[in-house]
Amino acid sequence: GESVGLHLPTLSVQEGDNSIINCAYSNSASDYFIWYKQESGKGPQFIIDIRSNMDKRQGQRVTVLLNKTVKHLSLQIAATQPGDSAVYFCAARNYGQNFVFGPGTRLSVLP
Amino acid sequence: DAGVTQSPTHLIKTRGQQVTLRCSPISGHKSVSWYQQVLGQGPQFIFQYYEKEERGRGNFPDRFSARQFPNYSSELNVNALLLGDSALYLCASSLDGSRGYRYTFGSGTRLTVV
């Protein structure tokens, strides 16, 4: 099966700095990955996704990098803002299967 | 457009009771998945339904069951509740659960078992 983990359970960054949140997955057959943001009392909110045929994908202030060789992906948030404070989850999917979520990283933005 | 809606938002039940949670997917979405999120952890997959048929089941006991209706809404039932069933239950919908479309989550039902 698939297992997904994150390198750090918590991350604190200064407002305006860039944030990098890392994630590792175990199944080399995983073909689709999503980063979700979850604020207190809410369901996970889609941030950005990437398919296994890509190495990098950019959104508004966010970039996801995928390294299939070492089964690692990262989420980069540029110019981190107080509103970015939340728990971030990566999720990995095997084709036809369901998403497996990591345990999450809590991002705190310091003033 | 309405997002994924779940009801109720909060629920308190006693050990041994039964509970039914409801989910309405985004209009046009035919796949619904249920996840359990224990405090401090990532969501864990329970069920996926597509076109009223079960597509997948996670590692949960038979006390957990679900179904999908012709309008694609879904119910999750949990029998003989245990304290450990206390969690946030999330419903996610997608266009087609087997082809890699992103999931959109509802805000969840917070179940507390006392």
Side-chain angles (χ1 to χ4, degrees), chain B residues 94-105:
Chain B
S94 63
L95 280 169
D96 178 335
S98 70
R99 294 181 59 192
Y101 291 102
R102 67 182 70 161
Y103 283 10
T104 301
F105 282 88

Side-chain angles (χ1 to χ4, degrees), chain A residues 54-95:
Chain A
M54 303 172 69
D55 297 322
K56 180 179 179 179
R57 190 153 189 238
Q58 288 184 291
Q60 187 176 17
R61 283 201 307 119
V62 294
T63 301
V64 55
L65 298 176
L66 175 63
N67 185 330
K68 295 179 287 294
T69 302
V70 295
K71 296 197 282 287
H72 177 275
L73 69 160
S74 65
L75 175 70
Q76 300 178 3
I77 304 173
T80 312
Q81 302 170 358
D84 295 327
S85 293
V87 179
Y88 289 81
F89 295 98
C90 67
R93 194 195 69 118
N94 300 334
Y95 185 79

Side-chain angles (χ1 to χ4, degrees), chain A residues 36 44 98-99 101, chain B residues 4-6 23-26 29-35 43 45 47-49 68 72 74 89-95 97 101-108:
Chain A
Y36 283 95
N98 292 282
F99 285 95
F101 283 76
Chain B
V4 178
T5 57
Q6 292 187 244
C23 172
S24 293
I26 290 172
H29 284 195
K30 298 181 179 180
S31 177
V32 169
S33 294
W34 287 95
Y35 282 79
F45 171 68
F47 283 110
Q48 184 190 30
Y49 277 79
Q68 187 176 32
Y72 304 111
S74 177
Y89 288 84
L90 294 162
C91 173
S93 75
S94 63
L95 280 169
Y101 291 102
R102 67 182 70 161
Y103 283 10
T104 301
F105 282 88
S107 293

